[in-house]
Amino acid sequence: MSMLLPKHLPLISLKDTVVFPQSIISIHINSDHSKKLVQKAFNMNKLLFFSCLENPQEDSKKVYKIGCVGFIMKMKTVDEACIKILIQGLKKACISEVKNDFVSLNYFSHNEKKDSERYKKTIVEIKNSLNKLSQFKDNFSHEILAVLNSIKDPNQFCDMLINNLDLKSKTLQKALEIEDFEKKLQFTKKLIQDELEISQLKGRLQKLIKNDSPKPLVPSNKDFMYQQGNNHKKEDVREYTQNLSAMNLPTEVKKEAFKQLSRLDKMHTESSEASIIRNYLDWILDLPWNILSEDNLDLNNAQKVLDEDHLGLKKIKERILEFLAVRNLKRQIAKGPILCFSGPPGVGKTSLGKSIAKALGRSYYRISLGGLKDEAEIRGHRRTYVGAMPGKLIQALKQCKTKNPVIVLDEIDKLCSDFKGDPSSALLEVLDPEQNQNFKDDFLNLDFDLSQVFFIATANLIHNVPPALKDRLEVINLSGYTLEEKIQISVKHLLFQELSNNGLPENHIQLEESALIFLIQSYTKEAGLRNLKRQLSSLCRKVAKKYVLGEKDKLIFTKKDIMDMLGGPYFHPEDSFDTPHIGMTTGLAWTEAGGEILPIEALKIRSKKSDLILTGKLGEVMKESAKASLSYVKSYVQKFNFKIEEDFFDCSEIHIHLPGGAIPKDGPSAGVALASTLLSLVTNIPIKNDLAMTGEITLSGRILPVGGIKEKILAAFNSGGIKKVILPKKNEKDLDEIPKKIRNSLNFSLVSNLEEVFEQILLFEPTKSPISNYLKGKDLERVA
């Protein structure tokens, strides 16, 4: 290739590769920076300067000054991180200056007398040695020898020969840097002679060992290892045969196991397929195909165990006792129930699974489904994949060693899906009583009976579970704990546990009831017990420090002691309860953390245009609910002839805000509260500050039922400022779940339309308030 080479070229540093003139070599480029240089050069003159790093093992970027200009013949993208280039070395050059990514080059020129008899003699000697070396080295094939013999240029001959020897990069670089042609020939001659001597010595040693040494009394290593492997295989086959015969396996399982065992007997012991079959047979032997644990059917014992571990939870305990009662009456093996405990975090959903297993006398296993994306985690991987194994269900049964354990599928509402499949769809078969008796894991490819497993799923928000999956679950809702329940649990369980966990004597700490109530209300805000447990643990740790320092007297905590230990209260009652406000209402929300007070504020701004502004990180459903509320209030004002400014709705911007802007809010249950807020804003009359309300509305003013009533009422009760709660009339049945003490402490108003709501929320004195000017034909006392 003849071309005028530029004196300034991009520099590509190589780790263990030296490029020689006229050599053709492929190079992988991984560095993002180098890839950009290569791609730029490929689009221009396709020329680069290649030089080897002086210390590849270190972080230094220093390269040898002498390298070679190369021409890019081909470029191919291997993957996102690598490109492969095929280059031909053109000419040796020396770096005179490095600037950024480019180098200035000085090229070498050769003016040797190539017809010199001395040179020819040395080249002949090199070729003779090369022919002898080719008998020992596989890298000098007949084709390569033919190419070398056809080269007329002595420089090119030396470069080609050295480049085909298996040499370290430093030796190759040394050869490249030799400028004197005679020295280069002598260096090449010495390299080829050294290689030939080493190869000849190896050959003589091998011949000596083969012919002259006495014949060993034992077989060669290869034969010996083969024989040993064969013996081990026979032992494995014999052991598998005995174990499989001794087990009470289903017919199809035994048939498949012996089929695989027959394949194993015909294979070489070290083959990869033999290893896969051994693993498969081990799984078959480890699974409890027909092993059942005996249930403890004593209802009184089950009741006692459940009561000891958990306070309340009447519905769940009743369901477990019903299951045991059926087992008592129907002695044959019954299908395991498939329950789903739905409720806020920390109320004991997962720990209930342990208690149920303990009450039944069964093994317990928990499978965390949160964030699970791969369907193979449920169904297993096919054995053709490297590292294949069964799914989590089969792994659970192997560990439990019975086919009727209690398996908790934790956080079933947080399953994900991607290109690997949808795990929730795989669970449809697992959680269907009519299908799971023939569950087929892809790894085993055999039917396994899951019908006697007691499945318990847990979820924070049951509406996040796909409908088809939810249809297979018997959903039992767990509400948050009341203040009284938290006090009892703290005294009977949590405080005792934390004293033990922190190494303190029993009863070393006691809390006055007022102090415990203060701790619960001012330092925790949750439906469950996790934060309460953390605060008690924090108290115990601080006391443990004092105990170690010598203060060993028993302690009785007061409110002041708690504030001294934990600092000021974390939570305070809502400020909106202090006084009534225009355009301010208290709604009730239900989140995955339990019930919440939901303050709603509205403001009117005179403007040339009418607009509804919604802030507070509201979801689409809540935004639509706000728009429906505004439309109904407009209709209501016109219907009852409220005397407001004629252009109020045409020339006012109405801004609705829900505080706590960082927290997403959504759902239709704030409809009643939003409509009440807007009515207060339009009429300029405050709303009673001791009211809380919930309910979905329609454009005609009907109020529809909503969920989470118990959690919402608990939130209203715990807030301390709510005296009355307005609920949809169709939620009346939910009041039966409310503890009697709370029902007696709050007033409940059950309504079926917004007119009933509006008649009881506005606060005014008939003689002073302008309401008499706004309403016509209304009973003012009734509205008050």
Side-chain angles (χ1 to χ4, degrees):
M1 181 173 295
S2 178
M3 64 171 66
L4 185 63
L5 299 176
K7 289 192 174 183
H8 303 282
L9 285 174
L11 170 65
I12 300 295
S13 55
L14 303 176
K15 191 173 181 181
D16 292 308
T17 305
V18 177
V19 179
F20 282 83
Q22 306 308 318
S23 64
I24 295 176
I25 186 171
S26 65
I27 299 173
H28 288 78
I29 306 292
N30 297 306
S31 162
D32 291 337
H33 181 68
S34 296
K35 283 193 286 185
K36 289 179 181 177
L37 291 176
V38 169
Q39 288 168 343
K40 188 175 180 180
F42 187 76
N43 293 328
M44 295 176 65
N45 57 10
K46 300 186 179 182
L47 294 175
L48 294 164
F49 181 73
F50 297 91
S51 183
C52 187
L53 290 167
E54 288 188 4
N55 295 298
Q57 308 305 323
E58 300 176 5
D59 292 334
S60 173
K61 302 293 184 181
K62 189 176 180 182
V63 297
Y64 290 105
K65 283 194 171 184
I66 295 177
C68 186
V69 175
F71 176 79
I72 305 173
M73 301 172 71
K74 280 185 181 180
M75 184 174 73
K76 180 182 179 183
T77 301
V78 179
D79 52 42
E80 293 181 0
C82 176
I83 61 174
K84 181 181 178 182
I85 57 174
L86 184 69
I87 67 162
Q88 180 181 6
L90 297 181
K91 196 166 187 179
K92 186 168 72 171
C94 179
I95 299 173
S96 62
E97 184 184 0
V98 179
K99 191 173 182 180
N100 296 328
D101 302 319
F102 285 77
V103 290
S104 298
L105 302 172
N106 293 323
Y107 291 96
F108 291 90
S109 60
H110 300 286
N111 298 311
E112 295 82 7
K113 297 177 181 178
K114 299 175 185 178
D115 57 346
S116 169
E117 292 298 325
R118 185 177 52 186
Y119 293 168
K120 289 181 180 179
K121 183 180 178 182
T122 306
I123 291 173
V124 170
E125 290 176 357
I126 292 173
K127 288 184 177 181
N128 290 335
S129 298
L130 182 59
N131 288 328
K132 294 176 183 177
L133 183 62
S134 65
Q135 299 174 15
F136 301 97
K137 291 279 189 178
D138 293 335
N139 53 336
F140 288 105
S141 63
H142 293 294
E143 290 80 7
I144 292 176
L145 288 174
V147 171
L148 286 168
N149 287 324
S150 66
I151 295 174
K152 302 299 183 185
D153 187 300
N155 259 317
Q156 188 178 346
F157 172 79
C158 291
D159 290 340
M160 180 75 171
L161 177 56
I162 292 171
N163 201 36
N164 277 277
L165 291 173
D166 188 14
L167 301 172
K168 292 183 178 179
S169 60
K170 285 191 176 182
T171 307
L172 292 171
Q173 181 66 32
K174 185 178 178 181
L176 181 67
E177 291 180 356
I178 298 174
E179 295 183 33
D180 184 77
F181 180 62
E182 186 174 355
K183 289 181 180 179
K184 190 170 189 177
L185 270 178
Q186 295 302 325
F187 184 78
T188 307
K189 179 181 175 182
K190 187 174 185 311
L191 286 177
I192 204 77
Q193 287 177 345
D194 290 345
E195 285 288 312
L196 180 58
E197 286 179 12
I198 292 170
S199 299
Q200 287 174 338
L201 181 60
K202 285 181 179 178
R204 286 197 297 270
L205 286 172
Q206 289 175 357
K207 189 175 180 180
L208 183 64
I209 292 170
K210 184 176 179 181
N211 297 330
D212 298 337
S213 21
K215 192 173 181 178
L217 297 175
V218 296
S220 67
N221 283 345
K222 184 177 179 182
D223 294 339
F224 178 74
M225 293 300 293
Y226 181 84
Q227 187 61 39
Q228 286 293 99
N230 202 36
N231 291 339
H232 285 312
K233 182 183 73 173
K234 289 180 179 178
E235 290 175 13
D236 287 347
V237 171
R238 185 164 51 251
E239 185 178 348
Y240 280 127
T241 303
Q242 291 173 354
N243 292 337
L244 289 170
S245 300
M247 286 185 69
N248 181 22
L249 296 172
T251 305
E252 287 300 317
V253 176
K254 184 172 285 190
K255 181 180 176 182
E256 179 64 22
F258 278 104
K259 177 183 174 182
Q260 296 299 328
L261 188 59
S262 175
R263 292 183 61 212
L264 177 64
D265 193 27
K266 298 172 184 176
M267 288 180 182
H268 189 279
T269 184
E270 298 300 328
S271 69
S272 59
E273 185 69 16
S275 176
I276 292 171
I277 292 176
R278 284 195 198 93
N279 184 37
Y280 179 72
L281 293 173
D282 288 338
W283 272 100
I284 288 179
L285 290 170
D286 289 340
L287 289 174
W289 296 94
N290 287 304
I291 302 173
L292 291 166
S293 59
E294 187 175 350
D295 286 340
N296 185 342
L297 301 179
D298 186 348
L299 270 67
N300 293 324
N301 174 70
Q303 182 76 60
K304 181 182 176 183
V305 169
L306 294 171
D307 287 341
E308 283 176 354
D309 293 345
H310 292 84
L311 185 69
L313 306 176
K314 183 180 176 182
K315 272 190 176 181
I316 294 172
K317 293 175 182 177
E318 192 69 28
R319 181 64 182 86
I320 304 308
L321 295 178
E322 288 170 2
F323 172 73
L324 291 176
V326 172
R327 285 294 312 277
N328 268 299
L329 295 173
K330 189 178 179 181
R331 286 291 177 174
Q332 69 185 57
I333 301 298
K335 291 182 178 179
I338 299 172
L339 308 180
C340 178
F341 299 157
S342 172
V347 296
K349 300 184 295 295
T350 305
S351 61
L352 258 172
K354 284 186 180 178
S355 298
I356 291 170
K358 182 179 174 184
L360 295 173
R362 294 191 180 191
S363 299
Y364 168 82
Y365 193 89
R366 185 183 74 89
I367 298 174
S368 178
L369 298 179
L372 198 70
K373 295 181 180 180
D374 192 351
E375 182 183 311
E377 295 288 343
I378 305 297
R379 286 206 177 104
H381 303 80
R382 299 188 186 280
R383 295 200 302 277
T384 51
Y385 295 109
V386 176
M389 60 192 306
K392 289 183 179 292
L393 290 165
I394 297 298
Q395 293 177 41
L397 293 166
K398 175 187 175 182
Q399 186 163 328
C400 292
K401 295 181 170 53
T402 66
K403 63 183 295 187
N404 63 337
V406 173
I407 294 181
V408 172
L409 303 173
D410 212 9
E411 310 291 359
I412 198 171
D413 58 329
K414 296 175 181 63
L415 282 169
C416 304
S417 62
D418 63 6
F419 66 93
K420 296 179 182 177
D422 184 1
S424 63
S425 298
L427 282 173
L428 294 177
E429 178 187 5
V430 174
L431 299 180
D432 191 334
E434 303 303 322
Q435 297 181 42
N436 63 10
Q437 60 187 353
N438 296 315
F439 172 71
K440 184 169 285 189
D441 185 278
D442 286 342
F443 178 85
L444 295 175
N445 201 30
L446 294 167
D447 289 342
F448 196 100
D449 185 4
L450 298 179
S451 63
Q452 283 141 50
V453 177
F454 196 133
F455 284 108
I456 300 173
T458 71
N460 293 132
L461 296 173
I462 193 64
H463 63 259
N464 286 345
V465 179
L469 186 57
K470 185 164 63 177
D471 184 59
R472 288 161 167 78
L473 304 172
E474 183 180 339
V475 180
I476 301 176
N477 291 310
L478 278 75
S479 303
Y481 292 105
T482 64
L483 179 63
E484 287 70 23
E485 288 173 336
K486 288 184 178 181
I487 291 171
Q488 290 185 52
I489 294 170
S490 298
V491 173
K492 293 181 180 178
H493 299 285
L494 296 184
L495 185 56
F496 174 77
Q497 289 174 9
E498 292 308 318
L499 286 169
S500 175
N501 291 342
N502 290 279
L504 293 169
E506 189 176 342
N507 297 323
H508 185 72
I509 297 176
Q510 292 181 3
L511 281 82
E512 293 181 353
E513 185 174 350
S514 60
L516 184 54
I517 293 172
F518 177 67
L519 177 68
I520 294 169
Q521 291 184 333
S522 300
Y523 291 87
T524 68
K525 190 177 181 182
E526 58 179 345
L529 301 165
R530 285 188 183 140
N531 282 329
L532 177 56
K533 189 174 181 180
R534 288 190 192 103
Q535 298 303 332
L536 289 172
S537 178
S538 180
L539 287 175
C540 289
R541 289 196 304 272
K542 295 179 186 301
V543 172
K545 178 184 173 184
K546 292 184 176 182
Y547 189 89
V548 172
L549 294 173
E551 300 180 29
K552 301 189 177 182
D553 296 333
K554 289 186 178 181
L555 300 174
I556 300 176
F557 277 91
T558 62
K559 283 186 182 180
K560 185 177 182 305
D561 295 327
I562 289 176
M563 291 182 68
D564 291 341
M565 288 278 193
L566 301 179
Y570 301 164
F571 304 102
H572 304 275
E574 295 288 342
D575 295 336
S576 57
F577 298 146
D578 296 341
T579 56
H581 294 276
I582 294 171
M584 182 176 289
T585 312
T586 302
L588 296 171
W590 179 34
T591 70
E592 60 181 28
E596 295 281 350
I597 294 293
L598 188 68
I600 301 175
E601 302 173 353
L603 191 68
K604 56 186 176 184
I605 307 163
R606 295 295 293 175
S607 174
K608 293 182 180 180
K609 61 177 182 177
S610 63
D611 197 6
L612 178 63
I613 304 170
L614 302 168
T615 56
K617 206 167 185 182
L618 309 187
E620 288 300 319
V621 176
M622 188 171 280
K623 288 179 181 178
E624 291 174 358
S625 186
K627 292 174 183 176
S629 300
L630 180 59
S631 298
Y632 180 80
V633 169
K634 287 180 181 179
S635 171
Y636 183 78
V637 168
Q638 293 172 2
K639 179 179 178 181
F640 291 102
N641 198 21
F642 278 77
K643 289 189 176 179
I644 61 173
E645 297 176 24
E646 291 183 3
D647 60 349
F648 178 86
F649 290 110
D650 295 327
C651 299
S652 296
E653 287 185 356
I654 297 175
H655 187 165
I656 297 177
H657 178 67
L658 278 72
I663 303 170
K665 308 168 189 73
D666 204 1
S669 65
V672 171
L674 288 166
S676 301
T677 305
L678 290 169
L679 181 70
S680 171
L681 186 70
V682 170
T683 61
N684 213 35
I685 302 174
I687 291 178
K688 295 176 183 178
N689 63 309
D690 59 353
L691 283 175
M693 56 195 77
T694 186
E696 181 181 355
I697 64 167
T698 67
L699 276 177
S700 62
R702 290 183 300 117
I703 297 178
L704 306 179
V706 292
I709 293 297
K710 183 179 179 182
E711 287 82 1
K712 292 176 180 178
I713 291 175
L714 288 177
F717 176 75
N718 292 332
S719 69
I722 301 296
K723 304 298 180 187
K724 184 176 182 180
V725 179
I726 297 175
L727 300 172
K729 189 171 183 62
K730 291 182 179 180
N731 283 116
E732 184 175 6
K733 65 183 187 308
D734 297 311
L735 292 176
D736 295 337
E737 299 180 13
I738 309 301
K740 189 174 181 181
K741 180 177 178 180
I742 296 178
R743 287 207 307 268
N744 294 335
S745 300
L746 295 172
N747 292 321
F748 296 97
S749 175
L750 301 170
V751 293
S752 57
N753 60 68
L754 278 173
E755 288 186 25
E756 296 176 31
V757 177
F758 292 165
E759 288 172 359
Q760 53 186 310
I761 61 171
L762 296 176
L763 178 71
F764 66 95
E765 293 181 14
T767 57
K768 295 180 181 179
S769 173
I771 188 69
S772 55
N773 296 324
Y774 295 162
L775 281 171
K776 287 188 176 181
K778 297 289 289 180
D779 184 345
L780 300 185
E781 292 298 328
R782 182 165 61 92
V783 176

